[in-house]
Amino acid sequence: MTFLSRALPATFALACSILLGACASGPGVDVSAVRQVPQAAPLPQGWEHGAFMEVFVRGYQDSDGDGVGDLRGLARRLDYLQALGIKGLWLMPVNPSSDHDHGYAVTDYRAIEPAYGTLADFDDLVRQAHAHGIGIVIDYVINHSSGKNPLFVQSASSRTNPWRDWYVWEDAKPAGWSIFGRDPWVMTPNGAYFSQFDDAMADFNLRNPAVVAYHLDSLRFWLNHGVDGFRVDAVGHLFENGPQGWSLQPENYAFMGRLRRELDIDHPHVMVCESPGDPIGFAAPGACGSSFAFGHSDALVKAGLGDEKAIHDVADYFTTAPDTMATMVSNHDHFAGKRLWDAMGGDAARVRVAAAAYLLQPGTPYVYYGEELGMSAAATNDADGKLRGPMSWSASGGFSTGTPYRPASTNVATHNAADERADPDSMLAFYTAMLRLRNTHPSIARGRYVAPRVDGKTMSFQRVDAAEHTVVVINYGDSAGTANLAGLPANARLQRLYPPDSGATATANADGASALTAAPLSVQVFLVSR
């Protein structure tokens, strides 16, 4: 077998199509066909343009005292998420996995991680989330599986096993490969398998039609259980064309576009993809339609620290990037940066200005759980573990009645939901205010991005739709600044929406220009009227 010729043998494909039951029972997991049941959209039109929260179920809320967060625990916190203004949840993998932590080494694509509960618990979470006006998007790992996945166990068992071509194999180990500083080919007594990320996670052969059908059926399985879409992992790595062609291959984009089209048989579902190498390419309508705005996330953080180039980069980003980008300031991977509180050195004012831009700019903001509290890293030395600690519900933790799976945040005593709920000046109050602006002002949620400008360290931009016009002014500097606005209606009145304390107003002149004073490290939002 050559590297570029890995198609499913025709005889086996025919056998599987005729004798599906036998093939389904062979590998030890369900690979049967799934018919997608058309469903009415369960949420109001436009819900997906509100803010999402990325949730690590293991780290959110433990309901049974075993120290591990679970689906029932998450369901108990939906009131909190609704009050915050969250419109969607991205759940990190909820499938069984061999890593027993982050979940990206999947062992069964159609089941729930036992520590998280049951499929019935998942169904109940979806039902309750929808009742709260919150959509559910789940992580789907299509590039690779765990080496302990029964599909791979079968594939690796012999060179003639009928499941062999479900993964990428070569009889002899290829030479000349290096991915992320390691050889991706892992030698076994039955040949070498391809593993881009870790020896314990083997890459699927997505040139095998049976594998593609299996993943489509697994995605349909979850749609039938009421999910509203998928975050798809590592889409830049789906196809390989030799040692210099293992990332961002043309097939990847078309493949993701096909998945999205085949699943949207009743109404559009969210599909947001992870591709640090080409975020904008995968956001194209012919691909995923949305992807995480890596690069912009780095600029948001640097701008929060007062970097003038980064402030310009933040202001300019959506002059070329599509408004379907999924924006963020951090996530569960340490390569994406520290938790925002730590990245800003524990400076609450800088956290606010860094966050305000992505919460009020175009795109769909994805808040990482605990970010809204100013939650810091977990007290561990593990780089990813620092980002994946228990949610800070109270000064004593509030996550579990047992011993948590990982130590609490280093600032849990001062930054926790219980204390911040009672403090109108807390980080939680700030995030709630920003999301309220997004949820109540259509120009901020979906309006055009107009007249971005930077004056010194003060950035301004305008959001405009058919019925509304808003202005956002963010001063990243330690001293007072001025935002010189242009392009406003002649003699327009600017009523301040945030901060709400004074209801201050400003006006534009006959040329539609206005100069607004911006206090150090401040955020202001204005509603424009004629």
Side-chain angles (χ1 to χ4, degrees), residues 231-237 247-248 252-253 272-283 288 290-295 325 335:
R231 179 265 188 187
V232 187
D233 185 64
V235 297
H237 301 270
S247 178
L248 304 178
N252 299 15
Y253 302 86
V272 56
C273 292
E274 181 210 30
S275 175
D278 186 15
I280 291 177
F282 279 100
C288 301
S290 177
S291 68
F292 287 98
F294 290 96
M325 301 305 297
F335 77 78

Side-chain angles (χ1 to χ4, degrees), residues 9 13 24 54 76 94 126 173 191 198 204 209 262 293 343 348 365 382 408 411 426 440 461 501-502 509 527:
E54 179 189 357
R76 293 177 186 175
V94 295
V126 172
K173 185 176 182 179
D198 187 276
F204 281 107
E262 293 200 23
D382 178 74
N411 67 356
S426 67
T440 58
F461 56 86
D501 52 353
S502 67
N509 63 22
L527 180 65

Side-chain angles (χ1 to χ4, degrees), residues 304-351:
L305 293 170
D307 183 297
E308 290 193 34
K309 179 183 182 303
I311 297 169
H312 282 272
D313 290 341
V314 170
D316 293 342
Y317 185 75
F318 282 103
T319 61
T320 55
D323 63 5
T324 58
M325 301 305 297
T327 55
M328 61 180 184
V329 288
S330 69
N331 66 18
H332 61 282
D333 282 320
H334 73 272
F335 77 78
K338 300 177 180 179
R339 278 192 169 272
L340 185 60
W341 180 262
D342 298 318
M344 296 297 108
D347 186 326
R350 292 201 174 277
V351 171

